Amino acid sequence: MISEDKNHHLKRKNKSSTQLIEMAEVKLLGVGGSSYSRRVEWALKIKGVKYEFTEEDLQSKSPLLLESNPVHKKIPVLIHNCKAICESMVILEYIDETFEGPSILPQDPYERAIARFWAKFLDGKCLEAVGKALWSKFGEEEEKSKQEAYEVLKIVDNELKDKKFIGGDNIGFVDVAANYIPFWLEIVEEATGVVLVTSEKFPHLCAWRDEYLNCSEVKENLPDRDTMLGFFKAKVLAATVAK
Amino acid sequence: MAEVKVYGIFAGPFNRRVELALKLKGVEYEYIEEDRSNKSAELVKYNPIYKQVPVLVHNGKPICESLIILEYIDETWQAIAPLLPKDPYQRAMAHFLARLIDEKFVMAKYKVCYGKGEEKEKGRGETCEVLKYLDNELQDKIFFGGDNIGFVDIVASYVALWFGAIQEAIGVELLTKQKFPKLSKWIDEFLSCRIIMENLPPRETLVPLYKAQFEAATQKASS
């Protein structure tokens, strides 16, 4: 791994040495279809950091992935200067603190605490409730899980009332944490036939979704929708057979 | 009105973390004891989404979730007793370890306590996996934070004290000196620090609470 970086450094002669180091020494082990993996990519794009992406096969994980993340054995893993950082939200903070460029988190300690709180809510309670409801046809208590999902989505919708993004005028930490809502959620809705998000119910959420998908960091860095739909339809089929 | 307030419960590991951090920084605060079966209007107002402790209120503004509160405390009262390292990679490692304890370890412990058969066994394996990782992380350091108590030490107070009480309550011994020598040494060192002894509940008060909780859950499961 170290020798690969040195060779890369020698090949590109026209860039500044700082850029060369950045380019050679930032690697991301991920999966193109994963919202967790894309969070890290979008954060790197916000900062304008070049990186080398390796698509992992989750059925046959690479020795590098297993060595870099022995506890969880999961993507994404960011490798910077040969050091591995795991967990997408931990990686996001690392990226914000390490690289220059637009801030992902606010500067003020209270604003940072609020951003971290919303990110944890979106990554935790909200994601869980939404996921449970989307797959509720194959689980228990379909109506109850849908009600719980509506409640958490309403919280997000209210938060977006006077804002373009949750982070304010630009996409930030919380928006990146919530990335499954603007893109993946709708695809799973189509695959399962369970629709949670409508513009009548969540007008601000829908407006935010449209802005979000139009951001340059995002729109050129999304997995292919048809491929994702195929993936989720296969999961629906497997769940139907299991039931 | 006090500038800093902490809402917590006596035996609560998560609010005790917050209090430890404030004490290390020399920050005065007002403590409000909550009753989980009868939550105060203020708690619900300050934490409407989760309605739980801990909540830190600073100049009337609430902050929730213990790890988030710890970072807020560190960023607000920077001059004294820094809890997190300055280096971004070291900070990332600290965040990673904190999540490992709060997520994987806590869930694994739950499986050990309440899981049946295979799930219980899996819980034991996962618990030991995290303990081993923490043991390795310590290397030759006195504390996870180096020479002084830091962020990870505060979070790992859960392992040092509460997990010890849980083990005693349910009659299980996973965290042994033979298997985890560095971690065991850290626990002894950590729990004998004056500031820790003065600010964490005595283990003898926790064991009966966990025993009662465990017995109630076991009875409920078999009825």
Side-chain angles (χ1 to χ4, degrees):
Chain A
M1 182 168 49
I2 295 166
S3 56
E4 262 178 48
D5 290 343
K6 278 188 180 164
N7 289 338
H8 196 96
H9 169 86
L10 289 167
K11 275 174 193 162
R12 308 252 179 146
K13 290 180 186 174
N14 297 327
K15 308 267 177 181
S16 75
S17 55
T18 323
Q19 282 173 305
L20 272 165
I21 289 162
E22 274 194 2
M23 265 198 287
E25 298 186 7
V26 182
K27 296 186 192 209
L28 175 61
L29 309 181
V31 163
S34 156
S35 58
Y36 300 99
S37 182
R38 292 283 175 172
R39 281 174 181 170
V40 176
E41 291 199 76
W42 298 348
L44 290 167
K45 293 263 185 249
I46 290 170
K47 292 286 192 182
V49 174
K50 296 264 190 289
Y51 58 97
E52 182 188 303
F53 181 80
T54 302
E55 176 84 12
E56 281 285 333
D57 175 358
L58 297 181
Q59 306 310 316
S60 173
K61 292 173 183 177
S62 72
L64 180 58
L65 174 60
L66 297 174
E67 189 186 291
S68 306
N69 193 355
V71 169
H72 303 298
K73 304 175 180 57
K74 286 182 179 174
I75 56 97
V77 175
L78 187 82
I79 301 175
H80 182 213
N81 296 332
C82 304
K83 291 182 192 165
I85 302 111
C86 312
E87 301 282 289
S88 63
M89 299 314 295
V90 175
I91 298 171
L92 249 50
E93 293 219 24
Y94 175 81
I95 288 170
D96 202 31
E97 289 167 15
T98 303
F99 301 106
E100 282 172 22
S103 289
I104 298 173
L105 268 164
Q107 302 299 315
D108 171 70
Y110 180 69
E111 299 298 320
R112 289 164 76 82
I114 297 304
R116 287 174 177 137
F117 176 83
W118 283 114
K120 186 167 181 193
F121 169 73
L122 283 151
D123 198 30
K125 186 172 177 166
C126 187
L127 175 58
E128 221 176 281
V130 166
K132 197 173 169 201
L134 287 171
W135 295 95
S136 58
K137 275 185 180 166
F138 309 100
E140 295 158 20
E141 303 177 307
E142 188 175 336
E143 250 340 285
K144 188 180 174 206
S145 7
K146 279 172 92 167
Q147 283 314 311
E148 283 171 7
Y150 292 146
E151 274 169 33
V152 294
L153 288 169
K154 196 67 203 163
I155 293 171
V156 185
D157 189 70
N158 286 339
E159 194 52 30
L160 283 161
K161 216 174 261 184
D162 303 308
K163 296 191 220 174
K164 189 175 171 188
F165 297 107
I166 306 174
D169 292 330
N170 297 300
I171 227 175
F173 190 72
V174 186
D175 302 278
V176 175
N179 71 342
Y180 59 93
I181 297 176
F183 184 73
W184 282 264
L185 191 155
E186 200 228 337
I187 303 173
V188 180
E189 283 179 328
E190 190 177 327
T192 59
V194 176
V195 177
L196 299 173
V197 175
T198 61
S199 50
E200 291 83 22
K201 277 205 182 82
F202 310 112
H204 309 106
L205 195 87
C206 292
W208 166 72
R209 179 186 57 197
D210 297 338
E211 284 288 354
Y212 198 119
L213 295 175
N214 240 342
C215 287
S216 56
E217 297 93 348
V218 172
K219 78 177 171 197
E220 286 143 30
N221 201 322
L222 284 169
D224 177 65
R225 197 187 183 278
D226 290 335
T227 311
M228 291 311 309
L229 184 59
F231 171 79
F232 286 116
K233 277 185 168 168
K235 274 188 90 173
V236 170
L237 191 61
T240 314
V241 166
K243 201 182 175 188
Chain B
M1 187 176 108
E3 199 184 292
V4 182
K5 292 188 196 185
V6 176
Y7 290 78
I9 53 175
F10 174 78
F14 304 105
N15 52 267
R16 288 283 182 167
R17 288 174 179 176
V18 171
E19 294 187 78
L20 260 181
L22 291 168
K23 283 278 195 278
L24 281 163
K25 298 262 186 189
V27 176
E28 285 190 17
Y29 63 95
E30 182 192 333
Y31 174 76
I32 296 113
E33 175 78 14
E34 279 288 326
D35 177 355
R36 273 201 293 195
S37 57
N38 185 21
K39 292 171 187 180
S40 70
E42 285 85 29
L43 181 67
V44 175
K45 178 180 93 175
Y46 289 135
N47 193 353
I49 291 179
Y50 300 107
K51 303 177 180 57
Q52 63 187 21
V53 296
V55 175
L56 180 89
V57 182
H58 184 209
N59 293 331
K61 293 184 196 170
I63 301 111
C64 310
E65 299 290 294
S66 65
L67 298 186
I68 296 173
I69 299 170
L70 287 180
E71 288 223 58
Y72 174 80
I73 289 170
D74 205 32
E75 289 172 9
T76 303
W77 291 280
Q78 285 185 31
I80 305 167
L83 302 177
L84 277 160
K86 287 214 169 351
D87 172 68
Y89 176 71
Q90 296 302 329
R91 292 169 75 87
M93 280 314 298
H95 286 140
F96 177 82
L97 287 169
R99 280 169 174 253
L100 189 66
I101 293 166
D102 274 10
E103 292 164 15
K104 187 161 183 163
F105 185 76
V106 168
M107 268 180 48
K109 170 233 78 184
Y110 188 85
K111 287 178 198 172
V112 169
C113 291
Y114 303 111
K116 301 268 180 279
E118 209 179 290
E119 205 198 357
K120 199 185 197 69
E121 263 322 294
K122 198 177 176 201
R124 291 172 70 102
E126 286 169 351
T127 301
C128 290
E129 197 186 340
V130 176
L131 292 173
K132 193 72 209 161
Y133 196 87
L134 293 173
D135 192 75
N136 287 339
E137 267 309 301
L138 272 163
Q139 297 175 349
D140 299 315
K141 296 183 285 188
I142 306 171
F143 299 110
F144 286 100
D147 292 331
N148 299 301
I149 289 172
F151 181 78
V152 178
D153 299 278
I154 294 174
V155 175
S157 63
Y158 182 81
V159 178
L161 180 64
W162 280 268
F163 184 65
I166 290 167
Q167 288 198 118
E168 195 179 321
I170 68 171
V172 145
E173 209 191 350
L174 295 172
L175 208 177
T176 61
K177 273 196 167 74
Q178 296 101 308
K179 272 207 233 141
F180 312 106
K182 292 178 198 156
L183 192 64
S184 301
K185 190 173 174 216
W186 168 79
I187 289 172
D188 292 340
E189 190 71 50
F190 181 76
L191 292 179
S192 62
C193 289
R194 188 179 54 85
I195 201 164
I196 303 301
M197 280 169 62
E198 285 172 2
N199 291 290
L200 291 191
R203 186 161 140 158
E204 309 84 70
T205 59
L206 297 178
V207 176
L209 288 173
Y210 282 118
K211 264 194 172 140
Q213 216 177 79
F214 185 65
E215 269 153 32
T218 316
Q219 270 179 19
K220 195 177 173 190
S222 57
S223 62

